[in-house]
Amino acid sequence: MKARIKYFWTVFLFIFLSGCGATTDFISHPASSITSRQSDLYTVTLIMAAVIFVIVEGGIIISVTRFRRRKGDTSEPRQNHGNVPLEIIWTAIPLVLVITLFVFTFNTMNAIAAPQPSPNDLKVNVVGHQWWWEFDYPDLGITTADELVIPVDTPVQITLTSGDVVHSFWIPQLAGKTDAVPGQVNHMWINANQPGTFEGQCSEFCGIEHALMRERVVSVSQSDFQAWVSQQQSLPAAPQTDLEKQGQKLVASGVCAACHTINGTNAKAKIGPNLTHLFSRSTFAGASFPLTDANLTSWLKDNQTMKPGNLMGIKVSDSQLGAILAYLKTLK
Ligand code: CUA
């Protein structure tokens, strides 16, 4: 029996907590017009369910205590079969409840449907890769990774696909999940009604590092967004010191260029994340690690220990590490 109870709680906690680890829930912290409406619907449903629970469970408790069979009592309980008013009542009440929920749900679905596309919308093409997200802003000529920067209170029209296997794009505080499927384009829209950083997580099992395939949406004011756009559209400052220049040679003409793009250099490959403005981001490798000197050093020296199975697999030797790190830090 004890083992069974333990098993029940393990399964319950697994279901209850799965998918919630890295992210903030949308019910108590909605940050978009979509999740605000979903949170309202959840609250209405929860209150209705709670009232029904108290009434039904209360009725059961009263019945089994007040009307239980007493010692020596062998008579049949009073039978209510065929009581027309009772039959009508317990048919009508659930009907009203279900209709109420239907109306609330229908209204919510209408309210969160994608708005008619407008020229003011931000368009982003999102591509899932094992195990990071590519964000391409077709109208702005910007390609970045892992952190999607958007202006506050602006509809963002997203097209979603995958470069390899099925992934699923999910920022709980902003919108529900949409699959990224290879060879197919899916559409979704998001918006943020407040500035902030909103954590997300790939929510379709996509291989060994599925758990370290995270993403963030960074919502900023209109003016901060314009500043971010001009920064992303310009080239990073040219390397100044000898160490930085040496690092640029190693990165842009060496093995790194086989996978990465750095605008303004010979590195033009699109297998890995675009590094042009790497240090304008605060995380890397699928938004899995804070972008610090220590983490980037560990990554360059032995990324297979940090994120086993990732496709980079390159080990940078100690003699090249200082120069490469110095150069990468100029990519702002
Ligand atoms: Cu990508 Cu899970």
Side-chain angles (χ1 to χ4, degrees):
M1 189 65 187
K2 250 187 183 171
R4 247 187 219 175
I5 292 174
K6 205 171 152 195
Y7 175 75
F8 169 81
W9 281 111
T10 308
V11 171
F12 174 80
L13 282 175
F14 176 77
I15 292 168
F16 189 71
L17 297 175
S18 59
C20 305
T23 53
T24 308
D25 78 275
F26 72 91
I27 294 157
S28 58
H29 295 88
S32 74
S33 62
I34 301 168
T35 46
S36 300
R37 293 298 300 253
Q38 290 173 333
S39 173
D40 290 348
L41 176 63
Y42 179 88
T43 308
V44 168
T45 311
L46 183 70
I47 290 171
M48 284 173 64
V51 171
I52 294 166
F53 178 83
V54 168
I55 293 173
V56 171
E57 295 301 315
I60 290 173
I61 290 168
I62 290 170
S63 302
V64 298
T65 51
R66 269 194 69 186
F67 303 109
R68 71 181 187 277
R69 189 189 290 273
R70 311 278 162 181
K71 237 185 189 166
D73 179 4
T74 53
S75 62
E76 279 286 301
R78 185 157 64 86
Q79 300 298 304
N80 289 324
H81 182 74
N83 184 320
V84 175
L86 266 184
E87 299 275 355
I88 290 174
I89 288 170
W90 66 47
T91 306
I93 292 176
L95 195 66
V96 170
L97 292 174
V98 170
I99 290 172
T100 310
L101 277 180
F102 173 78
V103 170
F104 270 112
T105 307
F106 193 75
N107 284 343
T108 305
M109 286 169 69
N110 272 338
I112 67 175
Q116 284 299 318
S118 132
N120 297 328
D121 294 350
L122 179 66
K123 289 193 198 74
V124 185
N125 299 328
V126 176
V127 186
H129 297 273
Q130 285 173 318
W131 291 277
W132 58 282
W133 292 97
E134 175 183 336
F135 301 123
D136 180 38
Y137 300 66
D139 297 340
L140 303 172
I142 295 171
T143 301
T144 182
D146 298 332
E147 296 184 7
L148 176 63
V149 179
I150 63 169
V152 75
D153 288 328
T154 304
V156 183
Q157 303 284 354
I158 291 177
T159 70
L160 203 55
T161 190
S162 165
D164 36 52
V165 300
V166 180
H167 305 273
S168 184
F169 191 67
W170 184 38
I171 310 284
Q173 284 177 274
L174 301 184
K177 306 168 179 180
T178 303
D179 276 0
V181 182
Q184 185 181 319
V185 175
N186 283 346
H187 296 269
M188 71 182 290
W189 81 287
I190 60 171
N191 71 82
N193 59 17
Q194 53 193 269
T197 298
F198 307 108
E199 308 278 348
Q201 166 73 53
C202 175
S203 63
E204 187 75 52
F205 182 70
C206 55
I208 186 172
E209 291 303 344
H210 159 69
L212 289 186
M213 183 167 172
R214 299 183 191 148
E215 63 268 11
R216 296 177 146 195
V217 170
V218 181
S219 152
V220 296
S221 68
Q222 284 290 345
S223 57
D224 285 356
F225 183 71
Q226 289 314 322
W228 179 83
V229 167
S230 0
Q231 177 219 16
Q232 297 288 313
Q233 287 173 335
S234 55
L235 292 178
Q240 299 296 314
T241 67
D242 288 346
L243 197 64
E244 289 167 6
K245 285 177 191 165
Q246 190 197 338
Q248 184 183 41
K249 254 186 213 150
L250 288 168
V251 170
S253 311
V255 67
C256 311
C259 290
H260 296 283
T261 291
I262 300 171
N263 296 352
T265 74
N266 290 329
K268 293 186 169 69
K270 291 185 172 166
I271 295 169
N274 186 309
L275 300 180
T276 308
H277 294 282
L278 174 66
F279 268 82
S280 70
R281 315 199 271 263
S282 53
T283 57
F284 71 105
S288 301
F289 309 103
L291 184 54
T292 60
D293 285 15
N295 280 342
L296 196 53
T297 302
S298 307
W299 180 263
L300 292 169
K301 283 171 85 165
D302 187 8
N303 53 72
Q304 290 301 319
T305 300
M306 283 175 88
K307 191 169 176 176
N310 85 78
L311 294 185
M312 181 158 148
I314 303 291
K315 279 190 181 181
V316 172
S317 66
D318 285 341
S319 60
Q320 298 182 333
L321 189 70
I324 289 180
L325 195 63
Y327 170 60
L328 290 178
K329 285 172 72 177
T330 68
L331 301 175
K332 291 188 176 130

